[in-house]
């Protein structure tokens, strides 16, 4: 079935590209308030063919009150212009002809209505995908298959983003992504990105912004780019609220939002939580290792099952105070909690033999393990924005702080067959603290027509404290402290940065672009024994240039210089011995990974609401950070010997080059059926001194079909296939997801009831991964539970009051410098 989806997705993308664009007529104008003479943003412009009562095209005005409707065939039209609390204006017999294909309506003045509206209901449809010069925005309002899910379920539908079975995210094949919430960093991502994303309910997400080529005002961190998760909030007058509840066979979640605004002051509170019910993952590992002469063979066969649960909740408050029309103060406070618990039982069979098959020894054993992880984080921010008399000139000051506490406890015991008591065991307690503070100041001002200057600076301070207490099982069954694995450390990283950036228009607007340079000074200290991490400077240039063929068609070229700083878990020399035969540790000598990325993008929207987006890219990383596994017949760790062990550690290897393309297409077959599809193709080559270069072709395709049976009932089918990928020492597994969903709205669309099914015909997904080294070969097979059925309920209530010039467009959170 995955091949059918790939083929169909490919032809759909081609079909959207092949749409014709021969119409040339356009209508422009500007909508003004008749009394104040101020422009009206988000006024609705609807266009009808003369003699028809159904609009075939429409648009809303921008922040200057202007609008443009193009690609119109010759003919006579009726134009309707309206906005809440204003009287509608109808313009008849507006003609597009070969001799006059551009009609300028000039300034159109709307008279305020004398009737006071007691209650307003707004029904609008936002495009699922919005392409902007510096980012792509995925709006979740029309995403049915992720309703009742979590952030990783939403990300599976986002173009250029892929998610594996464990919730690990890649952006155009790169996992080194900077994640933000409402444009701000959070310490919850520092503990575990995968866990944090699976603790955010999909019902709380308004949109997801994908920035593949960040400009100079963004942090240089993240060679893969930036993913910014925008949570729902509201700044409209009045009181409004929403409740979302869902229950399923594998996941339950709920959320509550309350927003209130009176005059120039507003506030909002929210609470959300979810729980992943107990699931069991089955795993098999088969490893064969050899001595140097290859005349003896050791085989380790492990067969286990691991029950697993996850839960989390978030709550917070946000405040907004428009002190004056040119001074705005915002504040947020949030609390986040998530945890996961797992246990496992693994049967182990170790066989030592000669190359001729003679068995030297055979040991059967059973290993039982537990793992419990908790994280609590408090985030707060305070922002001030100042606008000036000069148009588009503004000053932004932002302070954000995040404080997290985590607790990671683990243990394991091994006993031989027919023994009553375990022969070995280990337990560890690892409490930690993470404190991040960022202070940023940004200033933007126009310096000439078509030219704008941006500049700013930021200080980012992070301190991590970690303590590890490890105990080893003694012969008498008691635990004694393992001095070699008991220690504490403090890790500090301070980043001082400044940037200059300019937006410009050249050749009478034929080209528009941005160019800038960011400087960052990184100071890192860690009291690892015998480790000194040097300071380093980073100069990160970036530029982007765009040509608009029309308002609906553009092409751009971008370059960005990025780095990936190793985090403290990658640097921490603590040995993870939860499985004594497969041990991992950090590398305190890691250097930052350096990435250079070039991108060519093309975007086109058609009159029938079809659109296509193409992104071709070339990325080259040097000092590339990759995991590497070695086999050790005996491994001594702080005085304790472990036998038949693979040790995994991360290193700076040579370079990694990616050449690929992403193609997104959306097409409305008719008024009821809509198709969206994404295809990603790429070739990755890893070159490492002393090793053979590894190249591999990979691809991903998804397909989304939505059908509206009636105005209040919609169904959706979503499928996503991700191919296997070669890496330095083997191959990661492929994966295939498919979801079905139906949503019914009622009570004048204030409430909805949805049913979702994830992989309804497959209880488990088989994941086969291979790994090899100079003296070993290993195959890992996992059966991961993926099937689920769920039901969700959403209800919105409250009274909204709109005033002149207010619009939902202004409710979008401002993205601060990061």
């Amino acid at each position: 079935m995955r091949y059918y989806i790939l083929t169909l997705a490919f032809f759909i993308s081609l079909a959207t590209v092949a749409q014709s664009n021969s119409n040339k007529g356009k209508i422009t104008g500007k909508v003004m308030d008749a009394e104040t003479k101020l422009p009206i943003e988000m006024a609705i412009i609807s266009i009808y063919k003369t003699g028809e009562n159904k609009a075939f095209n429409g648009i809303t005005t921008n922040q200057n009150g202007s609008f443009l409707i193009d690609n119109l065939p010759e003919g006579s039209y009726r134009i309707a212009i309206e906005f809440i609390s204003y009287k509608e204006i109808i313009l008849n017999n507006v003609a597009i002809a070969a001799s006059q294909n551009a009609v300028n309506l000039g300034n159109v003045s709307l008279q305020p209505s004398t009737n006071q509206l007691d209650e307003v209901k707004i029904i609008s449809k936002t495009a699922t995908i919005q392409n902007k010069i510096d980012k792509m925005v995925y709006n979740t309002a029309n995403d049915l298959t992720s309703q009742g899910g979590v952030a990783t379920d939403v990300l599976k539908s986002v173009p250029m983003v892929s998610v594996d079975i464990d919730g690990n995210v890649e952006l155009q094949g790169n996992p080194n992504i900077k994640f933000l919430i409402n444009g701000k960093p959070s310490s919850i991502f520092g503990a575990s990105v995968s866990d944090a994303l699976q603790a955010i309910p999909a019902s709380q997400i308004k949109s997801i912004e994908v920035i593949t080529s960040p400009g100079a005002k963004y942090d240089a961190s993240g060679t893969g780019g930036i993913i910014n998760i925008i949570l729902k909030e509201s700044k409209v007058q009045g009181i409004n609220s929403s409740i979302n509840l869902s229950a399923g066979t594998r996941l339950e979640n709920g959320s509550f939002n309350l927003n209130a605004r009176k005059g120039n002051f507003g506030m909002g509170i929210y609470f959300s939580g979810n729980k992943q019910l107990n699931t069991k993952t089955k795993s098999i590992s088969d490893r064969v290792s050899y001595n140097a002469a290859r005349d003896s063979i050791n085989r380790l066969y492990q067969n286990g099952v691991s029950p697993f649960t996850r839960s989390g909740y978030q709550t917070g408050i946000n405040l907004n105070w428009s002190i004056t029309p040119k001074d705005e103060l915002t504040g947020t406070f949030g609390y986040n909690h998530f945890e996961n618990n797992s246990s496992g039982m693994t049967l182990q069979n170790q066989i030592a033999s000669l190359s001729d098959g003679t068995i030297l020894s055979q040991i059967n054993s059973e290993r039982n393990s537990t793992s419990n992880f908790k994280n609590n984080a408090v985030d707060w921010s305070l922002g001030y924005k100042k606008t000036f008399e000069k148009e588009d000139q503004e000053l932004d000051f932002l302070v954000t702080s995040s404080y997290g506490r985590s607790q990671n406890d683990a243990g394991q015991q091994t006993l031989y067959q027919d023994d009553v008591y375990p022969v070995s065991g280990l337990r560890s307690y690892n409490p930690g603290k993470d404190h991040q503070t960022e202070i940023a100041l940004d200033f933007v001002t126009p310096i000439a027509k078509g030219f704008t200057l941006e500049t700013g600076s930021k200080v980012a301070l992070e301190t991590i404290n970690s303590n590890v207490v490890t105990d080893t099982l003694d012969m008498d069954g008691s635990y004694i402290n393992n001095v070699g694995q008991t220690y504490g450390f403090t890790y500090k990283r301070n980043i001082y940065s400044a940037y200059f950036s300019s937006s410009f228009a050249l050749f009478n607007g034929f080209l528009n672009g941005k160019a800038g340079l960011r400087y960052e000074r990184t100071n890192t200290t860690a009291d690892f024994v015998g480790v000194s991490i040097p300071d380093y400077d980073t100069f990160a240039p970036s530029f982007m240039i765009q040509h608009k063929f029309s308002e609906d068609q553009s092409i751009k070229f971008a370059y960005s210089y990025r780095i990936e700083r190793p985090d403290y878990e990658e640097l921490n020399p603590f040995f993870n011995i939860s499985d004594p035969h497969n041990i991992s540790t950090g590398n305190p000598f890691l250097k930052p990974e350096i990435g250079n990325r070039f991108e060519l993008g093309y975007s086109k929207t058609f009159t029938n609401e079809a659109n296509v987006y193409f992104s071709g890219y070339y990325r080259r990383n040097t000092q590339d950070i990759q995991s590497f596994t070695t086999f050790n017949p005996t491994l001594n760790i702080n005085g304790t010997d472990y036998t038949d062990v693979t040790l995994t550690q991360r290193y700076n290897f040579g370079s990694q080059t990616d050449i690929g393309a992403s193609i997104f297409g959306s097409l409305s077959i008719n008024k009821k059926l809509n198709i969206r599809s994404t295809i990603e193709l790429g070739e990755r080559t890893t070159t490492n001194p002393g090793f053979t270069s590894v190249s591999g072709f990979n691809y991903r395709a998804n397909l989304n079909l939505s059908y509206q049976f009636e105005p209040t009932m919609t169904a959706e089918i979503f499928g996503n296939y991700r191919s296997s990928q070669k890496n330095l020492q083997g191959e990661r597994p492929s994966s295939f997801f498919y979801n079905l969903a139906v949503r019914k709205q009622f009570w004048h669309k204030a409430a909805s009831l949805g049913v979702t099914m994830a992989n309804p015909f497959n209880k488990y997904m088989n994941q086969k991964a291979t790994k090899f080294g100079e003296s070993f070969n290993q195959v890992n097979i996992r059966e991961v539970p993926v099937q689920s059925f769920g039901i969700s309920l959403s209800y919105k209530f409250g009274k909204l009051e709109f005033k002149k010039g207010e619009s939902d467009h202004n409710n979008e959170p401002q993205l601060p410098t990061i």
Side-chain angles (χ1 to χ4, degrees):
M1 184 175 180
R2 61 177 179 263
Y3 300 108
Y4 295 142
I5 287 181
L6 177 62
T7 304
L8 183 55
F10 178 74
F11 284 112
I12 288 170
S13 298
L14 289 181
T16 58
V17 176
Q19 296 288 319
S20 64
N21 183 32
S22 60
N23 301 317
K24 302 296 183 180
K26 66 179 181 178
I27 298 174
T28 60
K30 187 173 184 179
V31 181
M32 313 285 290
D33 185 302
E35 294 181 356
T36 65
K37 306 303 180 184
L38 295 175
I40 299 177
E41 183 183 3
M42 294 297 288
I44 300 172
I45 316 298
S46 302
I47 183 167
Y48 303 77
K49 292 181 180 179
T50 300
E52 296 186 2
N53 295 321
K54 187 175 182 179
F56 82 95
N57 202 347
I59 199 171
T60 58
T61 55
N62 62 20
Q63 62 183 2
N64 297 319
S66 300
F67 66 89
L68 180 149
I69 304 175
D70 59 1
N71 299 321
L72 296 173
E74 295 181 19
S76 180
Y77 298 96
R78 183 175 79 256
I79 310 291
I81 303 174
E82 57 185 324
F83 191 68
I84 298 167
S85 74
Y86 288 86
K87 295 180 180 179
E88 182 183 18
I89 284 184
I90 303 293
L91 303 176
N92 293 304
N93 300 320
V94 179
I96 296 291
S99 59
Q100 186 180 5
N101 62 356
V103 177
N104 187 348
L105 300 177
N107 292 337
V108 180
S109 298
L110 296 186
Q111 290 287 347
S113 174
T114 57
N115 298 324
Q116 179 65 37
L117 300 180
D118 293 327
E119 184 175 2
V120 177
K121 293 187 182 295
I122 304 298
I123 300 174
S124 62
K125 185 176 181 181
T126 304
T128 303
I129 304 294
Q130 294 175 303
N131 289 306
K132 302 184 179 182
I133 185 173
D134 59 346
K135 61 189 174 185
M136 172 179 285
V137 181
Y138 180 83
N139 297 295
T140 64
N142 302 321
D143 189 346
L144 300 188
T145 54
S146 64
Q147 61 181 344
V150 293
T152 48
D153 297 310
V154 179
L155 286 166
K156 291 173 185 176
S157 301
V158 178
M160 299 184 289
V161 176
S162 60
V163 184
D164 69 10
I165 193 68
D166 298 311
N168 301 308
V169 183
E170 291 183 353
L171 179 53
Q172 289 187 324
N174 193 324
N176 298 323
I177 304 167
K178 178 77 170 181
F179 278 93
L180 305 166
I181 296 179
N182 287 343
K184 306 178 186 72
S186 174
S187 62
I188 65 170
F189 291 123
S192 169
V193 172
S194 175
D195 281 328
L197 292 174
Q198 295 182 72
I200 302 174
S203 59
Q204 284 292 94
I205 300 174
K206 175 186 176 182
S207 62
I208 293 179
E209 298 179 340
V210 177
I211 308 172
T212 54
S213 299
K217 80 170 190 174
Y218 297 101
D219 279 351
S221 176
T223 54
I226 295 171
I227 292 180
N228 184 28
I229 300 174
I230 304 296
L231 302 181
K232 292 179 180 177
E233 65 175 6
S234 175
K235 294 182 182 178
V236 297
Q237 294 289 326
I239 299 175
N240 63 93
S241 183
S242 65
I243 298 175
N244 297 274
L245 300 171
S246 67
T249 56
R250 285 201 309 118
L251 182 68
E252 298 175 344
N253 67 43
S255 64
F256 169 77
N257 292 271
L258 175 64
N259 297 284
R261 187 171 184 86
K262 182 68 175 178
N264 61 355
F265 183 80
M267 66 173 292
I269 60 174
Y270 67 91
F271 177 87
S272 63
N274 65 45
K275 181 176 180 62
Q276 179 178 315
L277 305 180
N278 191 23
T279 59
K280 294 182 179 180
T281 298
K282 303 175 183 179
S283 61
I284 294 175
S285 176
D286 190 0
R287 186 179 72 211
V288 178
S289 56
Y290 313 89
N291 63 356
R294 295 223 166 191
D295 55 9
S296 66
I297 301 173
N298 288 283
R299 181 180 182 184
L300 172 65
Y301 183 82
Q302 297 174 305
N303 187 350
V305 59
S306 301
F308 179 84
T309 62
R310 176 187 282 115
S311 61
Y313 62 87
Q314 305 84 37
T315 186
I317 184 172
N318 56 76
L319 304 170
N320 178 271
W321 181 24
S322 299
I323 306 171
T324 73
K326 296 186 179 298
D327 297 271
E328 185 174 19
L329 191 66
T330 59
T332 65
F333 177 85
Y335 178 80
N336 304 275
H337 167 85
F338 62 83
E339 63 179 278
N340 61 60
N341 302 279
S342 67
S343 59
M345 187 276 290
T346 303
L347 299 177
Q348 304 179 129
N349 177 244
Q350 296 173 262
I351 301 176
S353 62
L354 298 177
S355 58
D356 61 4
T358 303
I359 296 178
L360 302 177
S361 65
Q362 182 171 352
I363 301 174
N364 293 316
S365 61
E366 177 182 313
R367 177 170 53 84
N368 294 282
S369 61
T370 61
S371 176
N372 303 282
F373 175 78
K374 294 182 180 179
N375 181 265
N376 300 283
V378 174
D379 299 320
W380 65 266
S381 70
L382 184 65
Y384 170 71
K385 181 177 182 179
K386 172 72 175 179
T387 57
F388 300 88
E389 294 295 335
K390 189 175 183 180
E391 186 177 3
D392 296 329
Q393 186 180 66
E394 63 182 44
L395 177 72
D396 287 275
F397 177 75
L398 179 67
V399 179
T400 64
S401 186
S402 182
Y403 185 82
R405 287 178 176 266
S406 63
Q407 179 72 40
N408 193 357
D409 301 334
Q412 57 86 13
Q413 291 184 349
T414 300
L415 64 151
Y416 293 136
Q417 188 177 28
D418 301 326
D419 283 354
V420 178
Y421 300 104
V423 295
S424 65
L426 204 70
R427 67 184 185 186
S428 63
Y429 306 93
N430 180 202
K433 299 178 182 179
D434 184 356
H435 186 201
Q436 302 178 40
T437 300
E438 295 189 356
I439 304 172
L441 181 66
D442 299 276
F443 179 70
V444 56
T445 182
I447 55 177
K449 184 178 180 180
F451 288 83
T452 301
L453 176 66
E454 294 179 79
T455 184
S457 62
K458 188 173 78 168
V459 176
L461 311 174
E462 181 176 19
T463 301
I464 296 173
N465 299 103
S466 182
N467 295 282
V468 180
V469 177
T470 304
D471 298 330
T472 302
L473 185 67
D474 201 6
M475 297 293 292
D476 61 2
S478 63
Y479 279 90
I480 59 174
N481 183 247
N482 186 329
V483 178
Q485 283 291 93
T486 298
Y487 62 93
F489 71 85
T490 299
Y491 172 89
K492 293 184 178 180
R493 182 166 65 194
N494 300 333
I495 303 172
Y496 309 93
S497 58
Y499 75 92
F500 291 93
S501 178
S502 177
S503 300
F504 53 86
L506 302 174
F507 312 116
N508 295 321
F510 181 80
L511 293 176
N512 295 280
K514 292 183 177 181
L517 177 67
R518 185 178 186 89
Y519 166 75
E520 294 183 347
R521 173 73 173 179
T522 304
N523 168 262
T524 306
T525 58
D527 51 5
F528 303 139
V529 177
V531 176
S532 177
I533 303 175
D535 298 350
Y536 56 90
D537 300 312
T538 301
F539 292 90
S542 63
F543 71 85
M544 182 181 302
I545 195 162
Q546 179 191 57
H547 169 64
K548 283 190 173 184
F549 301 98
S550 67
E551 288 298 317
D552 298 323
Q553 183 179 202
S554 65
I555 188 170
K556 72 174 183 180
F557 178 75
Y559 164 78
S560 60
Y561 179 99
R562 311 287 293 168
I563 66 171
E564 179 65 23
R565 299 180 179 91
D567 60 32
Y568 83 97
E569 289 185 344
E570 295 175 310
L571 299 169
N572 186 359
F574 171 72
F575 287 87
N576 182 345
I577 316 178
S578 57
D579 179 355
H581 293 292
N582 295 279
I583 298 174
S584 62
T585 185
N587 180 359
F589 299 100
L590 283 177
K591 300 176 183 178
E593 180 179 292
I594 299 172
N596 289 273
R597 187 180 189 279
F598 299 87
E599 179 183 9
L600 179 65
Y602 171 79
S603 176
K604 170 65 179 173
T605 301
F606 302 90
T607 54
N608 61 353
E609 298 183 1
N611 63 77
V612 64
Y613 179 77
F614 168 84
S615 172
Y617 62 90
Y618 171 85
R619 180 177 61 235
R620 178 176 170 81
N621 293 344
T622 54
Q623 295 182 179
D624 196 52
I625 299 176
Q626 294 189 43
S627 294
F628 191 77
T629 301
T630 56
F631 176 76
N632 302 268
T634 302
L635 180 66
N636 183 277
I637 299 177
N638 299 314
T640 302
D641 287 334
Y642 297 90
T643 60
D644 201 12
V645 178
T646 54
L647 177 65
T648 301
Q649 198 170 8
R650 292 172 73 81
Y651 298 90
N652 290 107
F653 283 98
S655 64
Q656 186 178 92
T657 302
D658 288 86
I659 301 176
S662 300
I663 305 172
F664 168 80
S666 176
L667 179 65
S668 295
I669 303 299
N670 50 44
K671 295 297 182 182
K672 294 186 176 183
L673 179 61
N674 181 269
I675 302 177
R676 299 197 312 269
S677 174
T678 299
I679 297 177
E680 293 187 19
L681 311 169
E683 178 82 14
R684 172 175 296 174
T685 301
T686 304
T687 304
N688 304 286
F691 297 90
T692 303
S693 296
V694 177
S695 295
F697 179 76
N698 61 92
Y699 59 92
R700 168 189 169 236
N702 67 35
L703 180 65
N704 182 293
L705 304 175
S706 61
Y707 187 83
Q708 188 167 347
F709 294 96
E710 56 182 71
T712 60
M713 185 173 180
T714 307
E716 187 174 87
I717 301 174
F718 175 75
N720 187 330
Y721 177 75
R722 169 175 158 165
S723 71
S724 59
Q725 171 70 62
K726 287 185 178 180
N727 53 42
L728 188 64
Q729 289 187 284
E731 189 172 285
R732 75 176 187 193
S734 61
S735 60
F736 176 59
F737 302 91
Y738 60 99
N739 300 325
L740 296 88
V742 178
R743 181 176 66 186
K744 171 67 176 178
Q745 295 175 304
F746 48 95
W747 293 344
H748 303 289
K749 295 189 176 182
S752 67
L753 182 67
V755 177
T756 58
M757 294 175 282
N759 294 73
F761 305 110
N762 300 85
K763 188 173 182 179
Y764 292 94
M765 181 184 298
N766 291 323
Q767 297 280 279
K768 181 180 178 180
T770 61
K771 183 178 290 187
F772 63 86
E774 185 177 358
S775 57
F776 77 97
N777 290 282
Q778 185 168 327
V779 177
N780 296 314
I781 299 175
R782 291 192 304 155
E783 291 186 5
V784 184
V786 291
Q787 185 185 76
S788 68
F789 301 89
I791 184 171
S792 61
L793 174 66
S794 176
Y795 179 56
K796 301 177 183 180
F797 58 93
K799 181 179 179 181
L800 307 183
E801 301 171 1
F802 283 80
K803 294 186 177 180
K804 304 173 187 178
E806 291 181 345
S807 68
D808 185 61
H809 176 76
N810 291 325
N811 299 335
E812 294 181 3
Q814 296 296 314
L815 183 63
T817 300
I818 48 181

